[in-house]
Amino acid sequence: MPTVTQRQAWMATLAKAKLELLEKLVKKLVTLPNYSFLRCPEIGLTMVRGRAGGTGEPFNLGEITMTRCVVQLESQGDEAIAGFGYVAGRSHLHAELAAVCDALLQTPNWHDQIQAEVIQPLQVEHQKQQELKQRQAAATKVNFFTMVRGEG
């Protein structure tokens, strides 16, 4: 059984993934188990909170559009497994794929395969994108300094 922290990490990875890459990785998987919708993908709004300076008092920053979905894998034994997908934006498919992956990651038979073939490649791609953004930001950095004039 995965810990809460592990599940938070893979759900964050799925939510932040680019849809095209997530779709490509899931299509590579051989015969996925059947699933049904407990909550079909639906679009709504959620409030985003921020903190001044990252550490100050929280405040309501504004609302963003998000899509959520809940699926249930066909019963495997006596336990029904539900997967949740919450993604920013208006993509029904992204939320559905995230929910399916979440459900599969909770099953012992699929966990290692989904971790290796979906989650890890998504994390590697996310890391590459973060490094690219950091390099681009560093390239625009300007160092300001003040020189003391020889007057007076």
Side-chain angles (χ1 to χ4, degrees), residues 47-62:
M47 180 61 69
V48 177
R49 301 198 70 186
R51 290 182 181 267
T55 58
E57 286 294 315
F59 64 93
N60 292 339
L61 186 62

Side-chain angles (χ1 to χ4, degrees), residues 3-121:
T3 66
V4 171
T5 306
Q6 290 171 325
R7 191 165 181 209
Q8 287 173 338
W10 78 55
M11 289 182 83
T13 300
L14 291 166
K16 294 174 186 175
K18 293 190 179 214
L19 176 59
E20 298 79 26
L21 180 58
L22 177 60
E23 192 173 8
K24 183 176 106 178
L25 293 170
V26 171
K27 281 184 180 179
K28 284 184 183 178
L29 299 171
V30 188
T31 61
L32 291 174
N34 293 327
Y35 60 90
S36 58
F37 290 105
L38 293 179
R39 181 180 298 271
C40 290
E42 59 186 8
I43 298 169
L45 294 173
T46 189
M47 180 61 69
V48 177
R49 301 198 70 186
R51 290 182 181 267
T55 58
E57 286 294 315
F59 64 93
N60 292 339
L61 186 62
E63 293 179 329
I64 65 165
T65 305
M66 94 180 294
T67 307
R68 68 180 178 179
C69 179
V70 182
V71 300
Q72 181 175 354
L73 297 179
E74 277 191 357
S75 185
Q76 306 201 350
D78 56 343
E79 189 176 326
I81 297 175
F84 295 78
Y86 287 85
V87 298
R90 304 175 61 88
S91 176
H92 288 229
L93 181 58
H94 192 168
E96 180 181 346
L97 292 175
V100 170
C101 288
D102 177 48
L104 292 173
L105 282 159
Q106 295 176 66
T107 64
N109 298 343
W110 283 91
H111 179 82
D112 292 340
Q113 183 180 359
I114 301 297
Q115 216 27 284
E117 296 179 23
V118 179
I119 300 300
Q120 289 175 356

